[in-house]
Amino acid sequence: MNKFIPVNEPLLAGNEKKYLNECIDTGWISSEGPFVKQFEESFAQRVDRKYGVSVANGSAALDIAIAALEIGAGDEVILPTFTIISCAAAVVRAGATPVLVDCDAMTWNMTASQIEAKITPRTKAIMVVHIYGLPVDMNPILKVARKHNIKIIEDAAEMIGQTYYGQPCGSFGDISTFSFYPNKHVTTGEGGMVLTNDSLLAERIQSLRNLCFQAKKRFVHEELGWNYRLSNLQAAIGVAQLERLEENIKKKRWIGEQYNKLLSDIVGLAKSVVATDYADNIYWVYGLILADDVGYDADEAMIRLRELGIGTRPFFWPMHEQPVFKKLGLFEGDVFPVSERIARRGFYIPSGLAINEDQICTVAAAVKKVLGT
Ligand SMILES: *Cc1c(COP(=O)(O)O)cnc(C)c1O
């Protein structure tokens, strides 16, 4: 049998080691080191935003975004049910109320019409989350937000390097957030970033990340923050990663194209959409959805692929079906058929940046075998 092919393997093929050695040689390993500023500035520039504030991870970035916009008890935040727990957790921890919407069956992203139906006088923000490879259709959502004077938090963790009508994802929110977990297009091991164009918000974000220490009276606090700082070691890796972003994006799209070709004649499978009017898929992950007439679900398909040496990951489990939120009495009576279906019938196959052509062929052959064509 072939060597097991993991669902994700990061690529650390640039100046990572060189910059890490610089940290060690100079003794700059904490968040005070020079790579942190450099990473923040170059990342913000790449996404066309004025201010970048690095943080410990993408979940922390969302906590900070919510706190920076002073969202709390009595406020509602609209977000997709089909996303990672971090999004809803940030809203719930702040004492605000998460209000969910379903996703589009083709792009797996939230849509403006469903958002608009959920707006109330208490809606303070829309948390836009781009899912898996195609951006959310932003223009109609920006219009709704302007009309109702609602803030936008844009979670672009999965869209580093992706564009919407040519403009970088992460450049649309009042605040946008990113993750640098090893399956993202830029990784620092663990890490994240908060971007904004608003200087006052940027100051608040910096303060919230750094325990709300004050410049004049350091250990006197007017507000509670977090220690969510990124270290110079992590930022050093980030700077090296960012130098190779264009190549990484090309590789991601190449991986997607290979799978599109190799899996084109399989019946019983819906694949990631290749493109929309506003973007070409960036294939953060390569998702597959079993057709209804396939006699088993994603869990079973993943077991069968594992037996053939192929790593997979299930799709997100919808927020309205999370035991932790049910226990809190949230989302009672919510029904979101598209998310419920793709959560049960969807999964993704190995599509990390270190994958090679042989491995892609092995994965595709295994998928064909499992689906019996
Ligand atoms: C990865 C991810 C996060 C969380 O990032 P971490 O760095 O793992 O905390 C948040 N939102 C989305 C959409 C993600 O894909």
Side-chain angles (χ1 to χ4, degrees):
M1 201 171 88
N2 292 291
K3 199 167 159 278
F4 187 78
I5 302 174
V7 71
N8 177 67
E9 217 181 312
L11 190 62
L12 302 161
N15 287 318
E16 288 84 354
K17 237 183 225 172
K18 181 175 166 217
Y19 297 161
L20 275 175
N21 276 331
E22 277 183 41
C23 298
I24 292 164
D25 292 342
T26 60
W28 282 113
I29 57 174
S30 79
S31 62
E32 297 286 311
F35 282 118
V36 175
K37 267 253 137 10
Q38 193 185 334
F39 184 41
E40 290 175 339
E41 283 170 10
S42 44
F43 193 85
Q45 192 179 25
R46 178 63 180 72
V47 185
D48 201 17
R49 297 275 91 176
K50 281 195 191 136
Y51 307 100
V53 184
S54 60
V55 292
N57 54 63
S59 307
L62 289 164
D63 285 336
I64 287 192
I66 293 282
L69 293 173
E70 297 177 76
I71 292 168
D75 297 328
E76 292 174 358
V77 178
I78 299 174
L79 73 158
T81 191
F82 189 70
T83 184
I84 191 167
I85 190 89
S86 317
C87 303
V91 177
V92 171
R93 287 217 178 91
T97 305
V99 175
L100 301 176
V101 292
D102 206 351
C103 64
D104 177 77
M106 296 305 292
T107 66
W108 311 330
N109 274 314
M110 69 200 304
T111 62
S113 57
Q114 298 193 20
I115 292 168
E116 191 152 31
K118 291 289 177 87
I119 286 173
T120 75
R122 302 201 312 171
T123 309
K124 188 95 182 257
I126 301 166
M127 187 182 281
V128 173
V129 190
H130 307 288
I131 299 290
Y132 289 176
L134 285 169
V136 170
D137 189 4
M138 291 303 300
N139 284 339
I141 295 176
L142 294 170
K143 212 168 132 189
V144 168
R146 265 195 303 271
K147 183 170 137 197
H148 297 275
N149 194 24
I150 294 169
K151 299 286 184 204
I152 298 226
I153 298 168
E154 185 187 2
D155 181 348
E158 300 172 8
M159 292 302 128
I160 305 172
Q162 176 62 294
T163 57
Y164 172 78
Y165 286 121
Q167 271 178 275
C169 290
S171 68
F172 297 96
D174 294 282
I175 296 181
S176 58
T177 66
F178 292 85
S179 161
F180 305 124
Y181 190 70
N183 61 1
K184 307 292 166 36
H185 303 152
V186 164
T187 183
T188 59
E190 302 287 348
M193 188 79 75
V194 186
L195 301 184
T196 183
N197 265 355
D198 180 320
S199 62
L200 288 176
L201 272 179
E203 262 177 52
R204 261 189 75 71
I205 292 162
Q206 277 164 357
S207 176
L208 286 162
R209 150 188 83 172
N210 194 25
L211 294 168
C212 296
F213 287 132
Q214 300 196 89
K216 291 204 179 87
K217 282 208 167 258
R218 181 172 174 86
F219 293 114
V220 177
H221 302 263
E222 298 284 345
E223 241 189 299
L224 288 181
W226 294 270
N227 175 0
Y228 276 165
R229 301 184 297 261
L230 192 75
S231 77
N232 201 50
L233 296 164
Q234 293 165 310
I237 296 175
V239 169
Q241 286 271 303
L242 204 51
E243 290 170 352
R244 291 178 52 93
L245 178 57
E246 305 319 314
E247 282 159 87
N248 285 356
I249 294 313
K250 269 195 209 130
K251 173 105 190 239
K252 276 283 177 185
R253 290 205 162 108
W254 175 82
I255 295 166
E257 283 159 21
Q258 300 311 301
Y259 280 136
N260 287 341
K261 268 190 271 174
L262 293 165
L263 301 175
S264 64
D265 55 354
I266 299 194
V267 289
L269 208 56
K271 301 189 292 290
S272 306
V273 169
V274 174
T276 60
D277 297 348
Y278 42 82
D280 294 332
N281 205 316
I282 205 166
Y283 302 105
W284 173 61
V285 295
Y286 195 90
L288 301 174
I289 298 183
L290 301 170
D292 289 329
D293 58 6
V294 173
Y296 50 86
D297 63 6
D299 285 342
E300 177 62 27
M302 289 188 291
I303 289 170
R304 293 184 190 190
L305 282 166
R306 172 160 284 274
E307 281 164 3
L308 297 173
I310 310 298
T312 55
R313 210 24 88 78
F315 270 20
F316 291 129
W317 196 251
M319 292 305 108
H320 68 287
E321 297 194 275
Q322 296 288 343
V324 61
F325 293 140
K326 284 193 181 161
K327 278 183 242 169
L328 294 174
L330 287 166
F331 313 136
E332 257 172 57
D334 272 359
V335 178
F336 298 112
V338 177
S339 300
E340 288 165 24
R341 177 175 181 275
I342 68 176
R344 284 160 178 80
R345 304 202 66 78
F347 61 99
Y348 52 90
I349 53 179
S351 38
L353 280 160
I355 201 167
N356 63 37
E357 194 162 6
D358 281 352
Q359 290 174 312
I360 290 173
C361 290
T362 306
V363 173
V367 171
K368 282 188 190 184
K369 197 166 169 195
V370 164
L371 281 153
T373 46

